[in-house]
Amino acid sequence: FEGSSVTEQRHAPLLNFFIHLVPMLLVFVFLLVIRFNSARQAMIVLSSILTAACAVVGALWVGGTGINEYGFFAAFLVVGWALYLSSFQLERINYLDLPETTFNSRLLSASTQAMRPMLMVAVMAMVAMVPIYLQVTPALYSMVFIIGIGLPLMSLIQIFLTPLLFAILFASRFNG
């Protein structure tokens, strides 16, 4: 979508972003429901999209930059990473079968196992963006800030959000 007026042309990248995002999300929801055999767990994974959106907006605010096509690419990367992280955490929680353990200890053990690889990737993303930030043109700053700040911020939030949502939605199943 290009648009004919100046206003339409200004908003065309945002519209293109949503035109591509909606079908991708529908396919992903379908695959998640098939994978986890639960619509509630699929919704937990999809809640990570809100976490990624908040992290992207926060990164752009910290960087003081607008978003362009490079920023959209980085935003898709952060959304994909958020979806992967939450599904990774849910798999750890679902398949951690410790005998004679409570729901809370199972949830805590699975979350701490998932924390190390998540934080390692977040720190490496920050470190990888430093030389790019020092050598790039201002057009790439939105991408650098989204990946360098947004991805680690989203990872930190996601470490706590997915187990919290799982505990809220499934505690009665394990404690009841």
Side-chain angles (χ1 to χ4, degrees):
F1 178 76
E2 293 296 323
S4 57
S5 70
V6 174
T7 304
E8 289 176 351
Q9 289 176 359
R10 189 171 359 125
H11 296 294
L14 185 62
L15 184 59
N16 284 332
F17 176 72
F18 286 112
I19 287 172
H20 291 92
L21 183 67
V22 171
M24 180 184 76
L25 287 179
L26 291 175
V27 169
F28 196 73
V29 167
F30 178 71
L31 293 174
L32 284 174
V33 171
I34 290 172
R35 170 68 184 96
F36 289 114
N37 293 325
S38 166
R40 287 190 293 179
Q41 289 191 25
M43 291 304 122
I44 290 173
V45 173
L46 289 177
S47 70
S48 63
I49 294 174
L50 295 175
T51 306
C54 292
V56 166
V57 169
L60 291 174
W61 178 74
V62 167
T65 64
I67 193 161
N68 55 17
E69 57 272 4
Y70 301 110
F72 282 128
F73 166 74
F76 274 116
L77 180 89
V78 171
V79 167
W81 181 243
L83 292 170
Y84 171 75
L85 287 183
S86 58
S87 61
F88 176 70
Q89 282 182 301
L90 280 178
E91 285 182 0
R92 292 279 184 159
I93 292 168
N94 285 331
Y95 296 114
L96 185 66
D97 191 16
L98 301 174
E100 300 180 13
T101 58
T102 64
F103 173 73
N104 292 335
S105 64
R106 176 181 166 191
L107 192 63
L108 183 65
S109 177
S111 297
T112 54
Q113 285 179 11
M115 188 182 323
R116 189 173 358 144
M118 290 167 66
L119 288 177
M120 182 179 64
V121 169
V123 169
M124 291 311 298
M126 288 174 59
V127 170
M129 289 298 117
V130 171
I132 296 172
Y133 175 74
L134 296 175
Q135 299 295 322
V136 298
T137 63
L140 296 177
Y141 282 168
S142 65
M143 180 186 74
V144 169
F145 282 110
I146 288 172
I147 294 174
I149 295 173
L151 191 132
L153 177 65
M154 180 275 311
S155 297
L156 287 174
I157 295 170
Q158 201 64 37
I159 286 171
F160 301 105
L161 183 68
T162 300
L164 177 69
L165 289 174
F166 190 88
I168 290 169
L169 292 174
F170 292 100
S172 63
R173 184 176 78 180
F174 291 98
N175 292 334

